[in-house]
């Protein structure tokens, strides 16, 4: 079964620190790797995504690092803020037009003042 | 703004009851999905549909069925609710023409089965 393994399950970071969440996958056919952010009481929303033709993508304080040979990708949140406190899910899918995303189990991030 | 509307945010049902969870999207998108979210288990795909009257099983379809009579509406049905179906249910849609897997989610329906 296709899997995406996400760690850690929970993370506490001080305001201004760097939050790092890691994901690993097995299926080499995966070619789209998004991260979703979910606040309490809301559905997940796309935060940032990467394709394997680049090793890094940055949007503001959020960066995805991608290591194709290791089959790993990670989310870095620089200068973490209390407003970043949420649950983060990594995911992967294969093929243009693929209907299915395989999600990691999620990381609950708490940023404390 | 993109809207995926789940009509019931909170439901409490009894074991054995038939449960309908409704989802409506405001775009003419073909692909719609039902996920189940449980702590520590992430999001698991129950069923998806890529067009009217079309449906495909996801990873955990047992105990569920779906209905898609109109493009904008995708319903999840629990024929006989059980306590292990107590969960958060998330509906999502995706534009078929997109070259990404981006999903737009509703706010979820939290179901408690007593």
């Amino acid at each position: 079964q296709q899997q995406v393994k996400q760690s850690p399950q929970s993370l506490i970071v001080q305001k201004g620190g760097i939050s790092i969440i890691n994901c690993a996958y097995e299926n080499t056919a995966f070619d789209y790797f998004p991260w979703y952010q979910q606040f309490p009481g809301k559905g997940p929303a796309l935060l940032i995504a990467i394709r394997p033709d680049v090793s890094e993508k940055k949007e503001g304080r959020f960066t995805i690092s991608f290591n194709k040979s290791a089959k790993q990708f990670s989310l870095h949140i620089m200068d973490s803020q209390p407003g970043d406190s949420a649950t983060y899910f990594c995911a992967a899918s294969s093929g243009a037009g693929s209907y299915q995303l395989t999600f990691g189990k999620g990381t609950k991030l708490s940023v404390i003042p | 703004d993109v809207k995926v509307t789940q009509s019931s945010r909170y439901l409490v049902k009894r074991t054995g009851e038939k449960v309908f969870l409704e989802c409506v999207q405001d775009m003419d998108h073909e692909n719609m999905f039902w996920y189940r979210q449980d702590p520590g288990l992430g999001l698991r795909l129950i069923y998806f549909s890529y067009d009217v009257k079309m449906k495909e099983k996801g990873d955990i379809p047992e105990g569920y069925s779906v209905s898609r009579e109109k493009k904008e509406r995708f319903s999840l049905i629990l024929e006989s609710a059980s306590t292990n179906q107590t969960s958060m249910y998330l509906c999502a849609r995706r534009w078929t023409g997109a070259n990404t897997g981006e999903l737009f989610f509703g706010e979820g329906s939290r179901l408690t089965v007593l």
Side-chain angles (χ1 to χ4, degrees):
Chain A
Q1 186 178 1
Q2 299 178 351
Q3 283 190 344
V4 176
K5 295 183 179 179
Q6 183 172 347
S7 64
Q9 190 171 355
S10 63
L11 181 62
I12 300 174
V13 173
Q14 285 211 312
K15 178 182 176 181
I18 302 173
S19 304
I20 302 174
I21 304 171
N22 300 299
C23 285
Y25 63 97
E26 299 170 356
N27 186 349
T28 55
F30 285 150
D31 64 355
Y32 175 71
F33 302 90
W35 285 87
Y36 281 78
Q37 180 188 53
Q38 184 181 31
F39 293 107
K42 301 291 185 182
L46 179 67
L47 180 64
I48 186 173
I50 197 169
R51 292 197 180 275
D53 52 344
V54 297
S55 60
E56 186 175 282
K57 184 175 181 180
K58 184 175 181 179
E59 290 185 2
R61 296 183 293 109
F62 300 90
T63 300
I64 300 180
S65 297
F66 184 79
N67 185 330
K68 188 174 182 177
S69 60
K71 292 186 285 186
Q72 294 175 347
F73 58 110
S74 60
L75 176 69
H76 292 64
I77 306 174
M78 312 299 289
D79 187 26
S80 298
Q81 299 297 312
D84 298 330
S85 298
T87 299
Y88 293 82
F89 295 95
C90 63
S93 68
S94 63
S98 170
Y99 302 120
Q100 294 191 47
L101 278 173
T102 300
F103 283 88
K105 293 186 177 182
T107 297
K108 185 174 182 180
L109 171 65
S110 299
V111 181
I112 55 177
Chain B
D1 262 359
V2 170
K3 281 209 168 101
V4 177
T5 303
Q6 295 182 234
S7 54
S8 301
R9 293 295 308 277
Y10 301 94
L11 303 93
V12 179
K13 299 292 182 181
R14 297 208 173 273
T15 301
E17 281 192 75
K18 190 169 185 176
V19 182
F20 291 87
L21 299 179
E22 304 287 337
C23 176
V24 178
Q25 54 145 330
D26 66 343
M27 303 291 283
D28 193 31
H29 292 181
E30 291 85 359
N31 302 159
M32 296 187 76
F33 305 78
W34 275 105
Y35 283 87
R36 171 175 171 161
Q37 182 177 8
D38 300 287
L41 296 179
L43 281 72
R44 295 179 291 167
L45 182 63
I46 305 171
Y47 268 97
F48 64 99
S49 169
Y50 50 88
D51 208 340
V52 175
K53 296 193 184 294
M54 309 298 281
K55 61 183 180 183
E56 293 286 342
K57 293 180 179 179
D59 299 320
I60 52 165
E62 296 79 17
Y64 303 94
S65 62
V66 290
S67 171
R68 190 151 182 215
E69 297 296 320
K70 294 183 178 181
K71 184 174 279 189
E72 68 270 18
R73 189 179 298 270
F74 190 36
S75 302
L76 181 68
I77 303 162
L78 288 67
E79 294 288 343
S80 178
S82 63
T83 54
N84 63 12
Q85 293 178 309
T86 292
S87 187
M88 171 68 83
Y89 291 90
L90 290 162
C91 176
R93 67 138 184 90
R94 176 181 172 269
W95 177 42
T96 309
N99 63 352
T100 74
E102 180 177 5
L103 297 178
F104 294 93
F105 285 89
E107 295 194 326
S109 298
R110 183 166 293 281
L111 172 66
T112 301
V113 183
L114 302 176

